[in-house]
mmCIF file of all heavy atoms in Angstrom:
data_model
loop_
_atom_site.group_PDB
_atom_site.id
_atom_site.type_symbol
_atom_site.label_atom_id
_atom_site.label_comp_id
_atom_site.label_asym_id
_atom_site.label_seq_id
_atom_site.Cartn_x
_atom_site.Cartn_y
_atom_site.Cartn_z
ATOM 1 N N ALA A 1 0.785 -1.266 0.014
ATOM 2 C CA ALA A 1 -0.044 0.058 0.031
ATOM 3 C C ALA A 1 0.942 1.244 0.056
ATOM 4 O O ALA A 1 0.515 2.181 -0.703
ATOM 5 C CB ALA A 1 -0.887 0.046 1.230
ATOM 6 N N ALA A 2 1.911 1.305 0.809
ATOM 7 C CA ALA A 2 2.815 2.418 0.915
ATOM 8 C C ALA A 2 3.546 2.718 -0.478
ATOM 9 O O ALA A 2 3.708 3.884 -0.931
ATOM 10 C CB ALA A 2 3.917 2.292 1.982
ATOM 11 N N LYS A 3 4.045 1.673 -1.091
ATOM 12 C CA LYS A 3 4.752 1.795 -2.377
ATOM 13 C C LYS A 3 3.676 2.303 -3.389
ATOM 14 O O LYS A 3 4.031 3.259 -4.200
ATOM 15 C CB LYS A 3 5.302 0.396 -2.830
ATOM 16 C CG LYS A 3 6.089 0.562 -4.151
ATOM 17 C CD LYS A 3 6.683 -0.716 -4.613
ATOM 18 C CE LYS A 3 7.521 -0.678 -5.825
ATOM 19 N NZ LYS A 3 8.056 -1.942 -6.326
ATOM 20 N N ALA A 4 2.521 1.725 -3.433
ATOM 21 C CA ALA A 4 1.484 2.257 -4.429
ATOM 22 C C ALA A 4 1.115 3.655 -4.213
ATOM 23 O O ALA A 4 1.063 4.465 -5.097
ATOM 24 C CB ALA A 4 0.206 1.362 -4.231
ATOM 25 N N ALA A 5 1.033 4.082 -2.890
ATOM 26 C CA ALA A 5 0.704 5.419 -2.547
ATOM 27 C C ALA A 5 1.787 6.399 -3.111
ATOM 28 O O ALA A 5 1.488 7.453 -3.602
ATOM 29 C CB ALA A 5 0.533 5.569 -1.055
ATOM 30 N N LEU A 6 3.050 6.061 -2.890
ATOM 31 C CA LEU A 6 4.166 6.933 -3.356
ATOM 32 C C LEU A 6 4.198 7.003 -4.840
ATOM 33 O O LEU A 6 4.346 8.145 -5.373
ATOM 34 C CB LEU A 6 5.535 6.461 -2.778
ATOM 35 C CG LEU A 6 6.733 7.303 -3.276
ATOM 36 C CD1 LEU A 6 6.568 8.710 -2.870
ATOM 37 C CD2 LEU A 6 8.009 6.673 -2.736
ATOM 38 N N ILE A 7 3.919 6.005 -5.568
ATOM 39 C CA ILE A 7 3.918 6.005 -7.029
ATOM 40 C C ILE A 7 2.656 6.861 -7.461
ATOM 41 O O ILE A 7 2.831 7.665 -8.404
ATOM 42 C CB ILE A 7 3.822 4.590 -7.637
ATOM 43 C CG1 ILE A 7 5.109 3.810 -7.237
ATOM 44 C CG2 ILE A 7 3.596 4.652 -9.070
ATOM 45 C CD1 ILE A 7 5.180 2.370 -7.658
ATOM 46 N N ALA A 8 1.535 6.655 -6.775
ATOM 47 C CA ALA A 8 0.443 7.427 -7.158
ATOM 48 C C ALA A 8 0.705 8.921 -6.885
ATOM 49 O O ALA A 8 0.181 9.815 -7.711
ATOM 50 C CB ALA A 8 -0.786 6.984 -6.313
ATOM 51 N N LEU A 9 1.330 9.258 -5.830
ATOM 52 C CA LEU A 9 1.683 10.618 -5.566
ATOM 53 C C LEU A 9 2.650 11.322 -6.568
ATOM 54 O O LEU A 9 2.465 12.362 -6.976
ATOM 55 C CB LEU A 9 2.409 10.702 -4.201
ATOM 56 C CG LEU A 9 2.723 12.168 -3.728
ATOM 57 C CD1 LEU A 9 1.508 12.946 -3.520
ATOM 58 C CD2 LEU A 9 3.484 11.976 -2.281
ATOM 59 N N LEU A 10 3.555 10.503 -7.016
ATOM 60 C CA LEU A 10 4.612 11.059 -8.019
ATOM 61 C C LEU A 10 3.992 11.107 -9.423
ATOM 62 O O LEU A 10 4.235 11.956 -10.150
ATOM 63 C CB LEU A 10 5.828 10.100 -8.021
ATOM 64 C CG LEU A 10 6.631 10.096 -6.684
ATOM 65 C CD1 LEU A 10 7.740 9.059 -6.820
ATOM 66 C CD2 LEU A 10 7.122 11.466 -6.327
ATOM 67 N N LYS A 11 3.220 10.022 -9.792
ATOM 68 C CA LYS A 11 2.693 9.830 -11.203
ATOM 69 C C LYS A 11 1.270 10.442 -11.334
ATOM 70 O O LYS A 11 0.824 10.630 -12.515
ATOM 71 C CB LYS A 11 2.824 8.505 -11.675
ATOM 72 C CG LYS A 11 4.125 7.864 -11.614
ATOM 73 C CD LYS A 11 4.173 6.442 -12.186
ATOM 74 C CE LYS A 11 4.051 6.462 -13.683
ATOM 75 N NZ LYS A 11 4.162 5.089 -14.200
ATOM 76 N N LYS A 12 0.622 10.710 -10.294
ATOM 77 C CA LYS A 12 -0.850 11.174 -10.345
ATOM 78 C C LYS A 12 -1.669 10.241 -11.158
ATOM 79 O O LYS A 12 -2.509 10.579 -11.890
ATOM 80 C CB LYS A 12 -0.870 12.570 -10.964
ATOM 81 C CG LYS A 12 -0.023 13.585 -10.294
ATOM 82 C CD LYS A 12 -0.368 13.832 -8.819
ATOM 83 C CE LYS A 12 0.449 14.823 -8.127
ATOM 84 N NZ LYS A 12 0.241 14.969 -6.717
ATOM 85 N N GLU A 13 -1.362 8.913 -10.904
ATOM 86 C CA GLU A 13 -2.162 7.871 -11.573
ATOM 87 C C GLU A 13 -2.691 6.920 -10.502
ATOM 88 O O GLU A 13 -2.025 6.549 -9.502
ATOM 89 C CB GLU A 13 -1.288 7.055 -12.475
ATOM 90 C CG GLU A 13 -0.811 7.900 -13.746
ATOM 91 C CD GLU A 13 0.113 7.134 -14.527
ATOM 92 O OE1 GLU A 13 0.392 5.915 -14.361
ATOM 93 O OE2 GLU A 13 0.661 7.705 -15.572
ATOM 94 N N GLU A 14 -4.009 6.423 -10.764
ATOM 95 C CA GLU A 14 -4.524 5.377 -9.881
ATOM 96 C C GLU A 14 -3.727 4.082 -10.026
ATOM 97 O O GLU A 14 -3.322 3.690 -11.104
ATOM 98 C CB GLU A 14 -5.946 5.145 -10.302
ATOM 99 C CG GLU A 14 -6.683 4.073 -9.381
ATOM 100 C CD GLU A 14 -8.184 3.943 -9.854
ATOM 101 O OE1 GLU A 14 -8.559 4.559 -10.770
ATOM 102 O OE2 GLU A 14 -8.816 3.111 -9.160
ATOM 103 N N GLN A 15 -3.579 3.491 -8.837
ATOM 104 C CA GLN A 15 -2.872 2.180 -8.785
ATOM 105 C C GLN A 15 -3.787 1.017 -8.631
ATOM 106 O O GLN A 15 -4.595 1.070 -7.767
ATOM 107 C CB GLN A 15 -1.775 2.169 -7.658
ATOM 108 C CG GLN A 15 -0.730 3.323 -7.737
ATOM 109 C CD GLN A 15 0.114 3.258 -9.012
ATOM 110 O OE1 GLN A 15 0.823 2.310 -9.152
ATOM 111 N NE2 GLN A 15 -0.025 4.253 -9.946
ATOM 112 N N THR A 16 -3.574 0.022 -9.338
ATOM 113 C CA THR A 16 -4.397 -1.171 -9.220
ATOM 114 C C THR A 16 -3.704 -2.423 -8.685
ATOM 115 O O THR A 16 -4.216 -3.335 -8.298
ATOM 116 C CB THR A 16 -5.089 -1.571 -10.591
ATOM 117 O OG1 THR A 16 -3.985 -1.827 -11.614
ATOM 118 C CG2 THR A 16 -5.855 -0.409 -11.129
ATOM 119 N N GLN A 17 -2.341 -2.316 -8.707
ATOM 120 C CA GLN A 17 -1.589 -3.457 -8.113
ATOM 121 C C GLN A 17 -0.202 -2.813 -7.665
ATOM 122 O O GLN A 17 0.246 -1.839 -8.168
ATOM 123 C CB GLN A 17 -1.376 -4.595 -9.114
ATOM 124 C CG GLN A 17 -0.632 -4.173 -10.424
ATOM 125 C CD GLN A 17 -0.438 -5.341 -11.319
ATOM 126 O OE1 GLN A 17 -1.305 -6.257 -11.302
ATOM 127 N NE2 GLN A 17 0.460 -5.302 -12.225
ATOM 128 N N SER A 18 0.426 -3.596 -6.811
ATOM 129 C CA SER A 18 1.779 -3.178 -6.291
ATOM 130 C C SER A 18 2.666 -4.279 -6.049
ATOM 131 O O SER A 18 2.362 -5.366 -5.438
ATOM 132 C CB SER A 18 1.504 -2.430 -4.892
ATOM 133 O OG SER A 18 2.676 -2.055 -4.401
ATOM 134 N N SER A 19 3.825 -4.324 -6.684
ATOM 135 C CA SER A 19 4.768 -5.310 -6.697
ATOM 136 C C SER A 19 5.915 -4.994 -5.547
ATOM 137 O O SER A 19 6.461 -3.895 -5.703
ATOM 138 C CB SER A 19 5.400 -5.547 -8.004
ATOM 139 O OG SER A 19 4.506 -5.998 -8.959
ATOM 140 N N ILE A 20 5.999 -5.943 -4.690
ATOM 141 C CA ILE A 20 7.129 -5.687 -3.676
ATOM 142 C C ILE A 20 7.986 -6.923 -3.510
ATOM 143 O O ILE A 20 7.684 -7.964 -4.008
ATOM 144 C CB ILE A 20 6.336 -5.413 -2.369
ATOM 145 C CG1 ILE A 20 5.577 -6.688 -1.844
ATOM 146 C CG2 ILE A 20 5.533 -4.247 -2.336
ATOM 147 C CD1 ILE A 20 5.086 -6.624 -0.437
ATOM 148 N N THR A 21 9.173 -6.715 -2.887
ATOM 149 C CA THR A 21 10.155 -7.776 -2.659
ATOM 150 C C THR A 21 10.067 -8.177 -1.266
ATOM 151 O O THR A 21 10.216 -7.411 -0.349
ATOM 152 C CB THR A 21 11.545 -7.281 -3.022
ATOM 153 O OG1 THR A 21 11.584 -6.834 -4.446
ATOM 154 C CG2 THR A 21 12.539 -8.448 -2.925
ATOM 155 N N LEU A 22 9.783 -9.579 -1.106
ATOM 156 C CA LEU A 22 9.835 -10.207 0.291
ATOM 157 C C LEU A 22 11.165 -10.232 0.757
ATOM 158 O O LEU A 22 12.181 -10.200 0.110
ATOM 159 C CB LEU A 22 9.106 -11.502 0.147
ATOM 160 C CG LEU A 22 7.729 -11.613 -0.258
ATOM 161 C CD1 LEU A 22 7.201 -12.989 -0.393
ATOM 162 C CD2 LEU A 22 6.777 -10.752 0.705
ATOM 163 N N PRO A 23 11.332 -10.436 2.116
ATOM 164 C CA PRO A 23 12.706 -10.725 2.714
ATOM 165 C C PRO A 23 13.410 -11.901 2.053
ATOM 166 O O PRO A 23 14.676 -11.920 2.161
ATOM 167 C CB PRO A 23 12.378 -11.022 4.192
ATOM 168 C CG PRO A 23 11.113 -10.191 4.449
ATOM 169 C CD PRO A 23 10.312 -10.359 3.244
ATOM 170 N N SER A 24 12.728 -12.754 1.489
ATOM 171 C CA SER A 24 13.378 -13.948 0.759
ATOM 172 C C SER A 24 13.930 -13.523 -0.562
ATOM 173 O O SER A 24 14.454 -14.351 -1.280
ATOM 174 C CB SER A 24 12.337 -15.112 0.574
ATOM 175 O OG SER A 24 11.226 -14.691 -0.155
#
């Protein structure tokens, strides 16, 4: 959610998915 929010803030685009890297 945090990554999507920052991208949305920078790009001014609605986010429908967010890809993150797990500790693994």
Side-chain angles (χ1 to χ4, degrees):
K3 182 177 182 179
L6 179 56
I7 293 174
L9 182 61
L10 298 175
K11 300 184 71 173
K12 306 300 181 186
E13 294 177 359
E14 182 179 2
Q15 302 297 297
T16 58
Q17 61 183 25
S18 181
S19 297
I20 63 171
T21 302
L22 297 177
S24 64

